[in-house]
Amino acid sequence: LEKKKVTIYDVSQRLGVSTATVNRALNGKPKVSEEMRKRVIETADEMGYKASKTASSLSRKEIKIGVVLNDTIAGFIKDIKSGAKKALEDLADYKVSGEIRVTKTPDDKKEFEELLWEMVDKGCNGIAVVPPSIEAELDDVIQKIRARGIIVGTAVSDMPTSKRNLSVRNNGIVAGQMAAQILHWLVGREPVAIVTGYRDSTVHKETITGFRKYADLLSMNEAGIYEHRDDPEIAYYLATRMIRERPDIKGIYFGSANSVTFCNRLEELGYAGKIKIVASDLLPGIVEHMKKGTVDATIFQNPFDQGRLVVTYIYRMLAENFQLENDVKYLNPRIVLTSNLELHVPE
Amino acid sequence: LEKKKVTIYDVSQRLGVSTATVNRALNGKPKVSEEMRKRVIETADEMGYKASKTASSLSRKEIKIGVVLNDTIAGFIKDIKSGAKKALEDLADYKVSGEIRVTKTPDDKKEFEELLWEMVDKGCNGIAVVPPSIEAELDDVIQKIRARGIIVGTAVSDMPTSKRNLSVRNNGIVAGQMAAQILHWLVGREPVAIVTGYRDSTVHKETITGFRKYADLLSMNEAGIYEHRDDPEIAYYLATRMIRERPDIKGIYFGSANSVTFCNRLEELGYAGKIKIVASDLLPGIVEHMKKGTVDATIFQNPFDQGRLVVTYIYRMLAENFQLENDVKYLNPRIVLTSNLELHVPE
DNA sequence: CTGTTAGCGCTTTCAG
DNA sequence: CTGAAAGCGCTAACAG
């Protein structure tokens, strides 16, 4: 259990070279012969060498991580931001500095792109982003940034075709499954609808898939998808139309966080409590509806942790040449009911 | 955003003293005059000094943390152990070494005490424990250990009267509330029973309180408590008796992890699926019952994190003079259903 | 391509 | 009670 620490010095002695060479070899730095590199790496792990993160972060120069967040109508980004901030604070000890910027306008491609380049100009070694809804729009920009050797990670959503280095997001499949199972408890085989923002975005596609898979398994009765594109007016209209066209609907799954308007409209129409609702996340409006009983449960996607983790993983790729399996970290969705609401809402 | 780092050296210069003095003053070490200490502390935070954890862990001497776990019949301790191991591995970089010991016999006061002293003899600076069921039994031993300046933390259960420094445990109140809400969904106001290990242990008391509070709120019909004292024979007998005496019971809340025997017996008696069950945690037996549908939901108490966190917090008290608010860290209980089971069970 | 050297910020002897 | 000085393990200039 108690074996003495093997240092870079030990390795260098064994090979009769300097510590600098060992350092270069071990960290994929330029000025070493491939031959040497091979020998170093070999004897290093033969000797059981483990790099000391503390020592290296003490001596290396500063790492800069930028965070660029697309604001959404719903103010959903707030917790992501606190999470990223927390990560940056925790990493300050490791010679990491950073900056967080949120767009003024939601889904503004141009503004978002500008913030991105600003970060590049400031010399960031890594950038964490929450991309705008139309994900593919920015693929080329991300690729250009990547070409400079800058690590890019996404949170919340993803840009799968952009060559970003990593994605942190909710496990949408399981979130959808959970919603289906709960709605099944609540309404059995009565008709249930899906309401979501952009049905083609990476994450929403996953939640819908998961929901349908499980609804199928339980022989539930799905009454269609309503896609509001994060637009309150559309949401208002869709809620109205849904009630008119399908008054038999007894359950709804809100696949995206931004569903407060839809909910409000249902309430106006006198359907509060009559239709069972499983929502996503905990924006203030949803919390109110849960307390009133309009919303029965919500699938919490832990935005704080998403923000914290992208930044942390980017750091680890930069400093510890860490790799995420499959480049994606899926977070576990959590069920929030009124009985455990207190643990998820500050105060 | 970018203020230069204030070091111990800067503080020493400002006061015209040596860095050694500043160090002593800042870390509550003996050989400094109170006068000096006061001045140092004052100017340090005037200057916005923040200690560098990396630098200090690089130079200080090794910290030893021992982990002593009371094994339980159910093998519940396994995940706690992995969590503690993980923490120890992560902390290795910070010059932390440690050792984990599990008792051979469950709830054997003598053996547990011996392991504790062994850790003390080995020079541990901190000890993490999962105490035996009869918690108060060891109060005096813990006090003696504390008297030597050793930090003691508990996980899973607690020893509130022992003067331990901290406790990491599940939020029992909320866990109980959640169980009640789910059972209410499943059986409404039909009779529901509570089944638990030791009803007087810190955590089980909390789960029962939470359950009753919420059951009351929802006007549920509670049909009594069955206490099996972690003894399979008693559990077997109680299940048999429950069915005989209260064939009207439609729901059960298993407040403690060790409920597999009880469950098996219900199945034998032909009550699988007829009685709705909300269990606690995910021992292998419970997982099987969930897959079969005997158990409808379980409240997961995250043993891995409990193990990981006690060790981590003990380290932080030792190295960063960290303090847990109120000395207790409550973990959020998580609802596990068949739809999200895959995320909680390896493979 | 490889070696030498000067730190990073703090802790810990060892002197005084 | 206080100070001087030698590191902890690694990185980054700068020489060679």
Side-chain angles (χ1 to χ4, degrees):
Chain A
L1 200 68
E2 304 272 332
K3 34 185 177 184
K4 217 176 62 216
K5 204 163 177 59
V6 181
T7 75
I8 201 182
Y9 177 79
D10 301 327
V11 179
S12 76
Q13 289 304 297
R14 177 87 97 86
L15 285 161
V17 300
S18 74
T19 59
T21 301
V22 175
N23 177 23
R24 290 185 193 108
L26 255 24
N27 296 303
K29 303 211 168 154
K31 313 172 179 182
V32 218
S33 63
E34 274 316 308
E35 152 86 45
M36 185 78 249
R37 193 187 300 279
K38 231 191 85 207
R39 281 177 60 212
V40 171
I41 292 177
E42 223 164 55
T43 72
D45 53 42
E46 212 169 76
M47 297 175 73
Y49 170 78
K50 286 269 168 210
S52 158
K53 293 165 196 173
T54 44
S56 87
S57 64
L58 236 201
S59 59
R60 68 157 168 260
K61 62 182 173 197
E62 194 168 69
I63 287 180
K64 284 191 187 170
I65 298 180
V67 181
V68 179
L69 308 174
N70 172 50
D71 198 9
T72 56
I73 302 170
F76 172 73
I77 224 66
K78 208 181 118 227
D79 292 335
I80 315 261
K81 189 177 171 184
S82 330
K85 199 174 156 206
K86 171 76 165 115
L88 252 17
E89 285 165 9
D90 289 348
L91 290 172
D93 240 318
Y94 295 83
K95 279 226 181 67
V96 174
S97 75
E99 196 177 334
I100 306 179
R101 302 291 303 272
V102 181
T103 61
K104 305 279 179 228
T105 321
D107 291 337
D108 180 337
K109 185 198 161 186
K110 192 153 157 291
E111 187 191 0
F112 194 86
E113 199 176 329
E114 275 167 17
L115 289 179
L116 242 27
W117 287 117
E118 217 176 276
M119 291 302 182
V120 174
D121 291 341
K122 283 185 177 157
C124 286
N125 310 92
I127 303 182
V129 307
V130 169
S133 304
I134 319 294
E135 303 163 350
E137 250 181 16
L138 283 152
D139 276 7
D140 53 331
V141 184
I142 298 297
Q143 286 193 36
K144 276 182 205 149
I145 291 175
R146 283 285 303 118
R148 302 191 177 208
I150 295 170
I151 301 289
V152 177
T154 64
V156 181
S157 186
D158 192 10
M159 311 175 72
T161 50
S162 71
K163 310 226 160 120
R164 88 286 182 270
N165 302 73
L166 64 97
S167 161
V168 173
R169 61 181 192 262
N170 188 43
N171 190 324
I173 301 282
V174 172
Q177 291 183 176
M178 289 157 76
Q181 183 168 19
I182 293 174
L183 274 179
H184 182 254
W185 274 350
L186 296 172
V187 308
R189 296 184 183 170
E190 299 285 341
V192 294
I194 299 172
V195 173
T196 195
Y198 290 84
R199 62 189 289 177
D200 290 326
S201 83
T202 311
V203 171
H204 297 169
K205 249 189 317 210
E206 291 171 349
T207 54
I208 294 169
T209 305
F211 184 86
R212 286 191 160 154
K213 179 178 147 202
Y214 224 78
D216 233 54
L217 196 75
L218 300 170
S219 310
M220 292 170 70
N221 176 359
E222 191 206 304
I225 294 190
Y226 295 80
E227 182 186 16
H228 57 60
R229 302 179 159 270
D230 286 344
D231 181 331
E233 285 184 35
I234 302 183
Y236 183 92
Y237 162 76
L238 284 179
T240 316
R241 201 187 70 183
M242 189 191 84
I243 293 299
R244 174 162 29 87
E245 292 178 355
R246 295 294 309 258
D248 59 325
I249 282 175
K250 290 288 180 296
I252 299 178
Y253 169 41
F254 287 128
S256 62
N258 189 10
S259 38
V260 182
T261 306
F262 201 101
C263 226
N264 291 341
R265 181 59 180 150
L266 288 180
E267 198 177 22
E268 273 175 33
L269 293 169
Y271 279 77
K274 290 187 187 162
I275 293 180
K276 298 298 178 183
I277 297 178
V278 173
S280 293
D281 277 303
L282 279 173
L283 295 180
I286 292 299
V287 172
E288 293 320 307
H289 280 298
M290 286 190 77
K291 286 182 180 161
K292 280 190 282 186
T294 324
V295 168
D296 301 89
T298 194
I299 314 290
F300 185 61
Q301 340 222 0
N302 222 329
F304 183 89
D305 275 353
Q306 292 196 39
R308 198 171 53 80
L309 289 175
V310 234
V311 174
T312 306
Y313 289 142
I314 289 177
Y315 163 73
R316 295 183 58 185
M317 289 192 70
L318 248 16
E320 305 169 8
N321 63 54
F322 162 84
Q323 268 296 109
L324 218 44
E325 187 179 341
N326 220 29
D327 301 336
V328 181
K329 170 68 182 182
Y330 289 106
L331 298 193
N332 290 13
R334 306 237 247 277
I335 304 172
V336 178
L337 313 175
T338 49
S339 52
N340 62 333
L341 188 56
E342 52 182 295
L343 299 183
H344 297 266
V345 183
E347 284 151 318
Chain B
L1 200 66
E2 305 272 331
K3 34 187 176 183
K4 218 178 59 216
K5 206 164 174 57
V6 180
T7 75
I8 201 181
Y9 177 80
D10 300 329
V11 179
S12 76
Q13 289 303 296
R14 178 86 97 84
L15 286 161
V17 299
S18 73
T19 58
T21 302
V22 176
N23 177 25
R24 291 185 194 108
L26 255 24
N27 296 301
K29 302 210 170 155
K31 312 172 179 183
V32 217
S33 63
E34 274 316 307
E35 152 87 44
M36 186 78 252
R37 192 187 300 278
K38 229 189 86 206
R39 281 176 60 210
V40 170
I41 292 177
E42 223 163 53
T43 73
D45 53 42
E46 212 169 75
M47 296 174 75
Y49 169 77
K50 286 269 168 210
S52 158
K53 294 166 195 173
T54 46
S56 86
S57 65
L58 195 53
S59 58
R60 71 157 166 257
K61 61 183 171 195
E62 193 167 70
I63 287 180
K64 283 191 187 171
I65 299 180
V67 180
V68 179
L69 309 173
N70 172 49
D71 198 8
T72 56
I73 301 171
F76 172 74
I77 224 65
K78 207 179 120 228
D79 292 335
I80 315 262
K81 189 178 171 184
S82 329
K85 199 174 155 206
K86 171 75 165 117
L88 252 16
E89 284 165 11
D90 289 348
L91 290 171
D93 239 318
Y94 295 84
K95 280 228 180 70
V96 174
S97 75
E99 195 177 336
I100 306 180
R101 303 292 302 273
V102 180
T103 61
K104 304 281 179 225
T105 320
D107 290 337
D108 181 337
K109 184 197 163 187
K110 193 154 158 287
E111 187 191 359
F112 194 85
E113 198 176 330
E114 274 167 18
L115 290 179
L116 242 29
W117 287 117
E118 216 176 276
M119 291 300 182
V120 173
D121 290 342
K122 283 184 177 157
C124 286
N125 310 94
I127 302 181
V129 307
V130 169
S133 305
I134 318 295
E135 304 164 347
E137 250 181 17
L138 283 151
D139 276 7
D140 54 331
V141 184
I142 299 297
Q143 286 194 37
K144 276 182 204 149
I145 292 175
R146 285 284 304 115
R148 302 190 177 207
I150 296 169
I151 302 288
V152 177
T154 64
V156 180
S157 185
D158 192 10
M159 309 175 72
T161 49
S162 72
K163 308 225 161 118
R164 88 285 182 269
N165 301 75
L166 64 97
S167 162
V168 173
R169 59 182 194 260
N170 186 45
N171 190 324
I173 300 282
V174 172
Q177 292 183 177
M178 290 157 77
Q181 184 168 19
I182 294 173
L183 274 179
H184 182 254
W185 274 350
L186 296 172
V187 307
R189 296 184 183 171
E190 298 286 341
V192 294
I194 299 172
V195 173
T196 196
Y198 290 85
R199 63 188 290 177
D200 290 326
S201 83
T202 309
V203 171
H204 298 168
K205 248 188 318 207
E206 289 170 350
T207 54
I208 294 170
T209 304
F211 184 86
R212 287 191 160 154
K213 178 177 146 202
Y214 224 77
D216 232 56
L217 197 74
L218 301 170
S219 311
M220 292 170 70
N221 176 0
E222 192 206 305
I225 294 190
Y226 295 80
E227 182 186 16
H228 56 60
R229 303 180 158 269
D230 286 343
D231 181 331
E233 284 185 36
I234 301 182
Y236 183 93
Y237 162 76
L238 283 179
T240 314
R241 201 187 69 183
M242 190 191 82
I243 294 300
R244 176 163 27 87
E245 292 178 355
R246 296 292 310 255
D248 59 323
I249 282 175
K250 290 287 178 297
I252 299 179
Y253 169 40
F254 286 128
S256 62
N258 189 10
S259 38
V260 183
T261 306
F262 201 100
C263 228
N264 291 342
R265 181 58 181 152
L266 288 180
E267 200 177 21
E268 274 175 31
L269 293 169
Y271 279 77
K274 292 187 187 162
I275 293 180
K276 297 298 178 183
I277 296 179
V278 174
S280 294
D281 277 303
L282 278 172
L283 295 180
I286 292 299
V287 172
E288 293 320 307
H289 281 298
M290 285 190 77
K291 286 181 180 163
K292 282 190 281 186
T294 323
V295 168
D296 300 89
T298 194
I299 314 291
F300 185 61
Q301 340 222 358
N302 223 329
F304 183 90
D305 276 352
Q306 292 196 39
R308 199 172 52 80
L309 289 175
V310 233
V311 173
T312 306
Y313 289 142
I314 288 177
Y315 163 73
R316 296 183 57 186
M317 289 192 70
L318 248 17
E320 304 168 8
N321 63 54
F322 161 85
Q323 268 295 110
L324 219 43
E325 186 179 342
N326 219 30
D327 300 336
V328 181
K329 170 69 180 181
Y330 289 107
L331 298 193
N332 290 13
R334 307 238 246 277
I335 303 172
V336 179
L337 313 175
T338 50
S339 52
N340 62 333
L341 188 56
E342 52 182 295
L343 299 183
H344 297 266
V345 183
E347 285 150 317

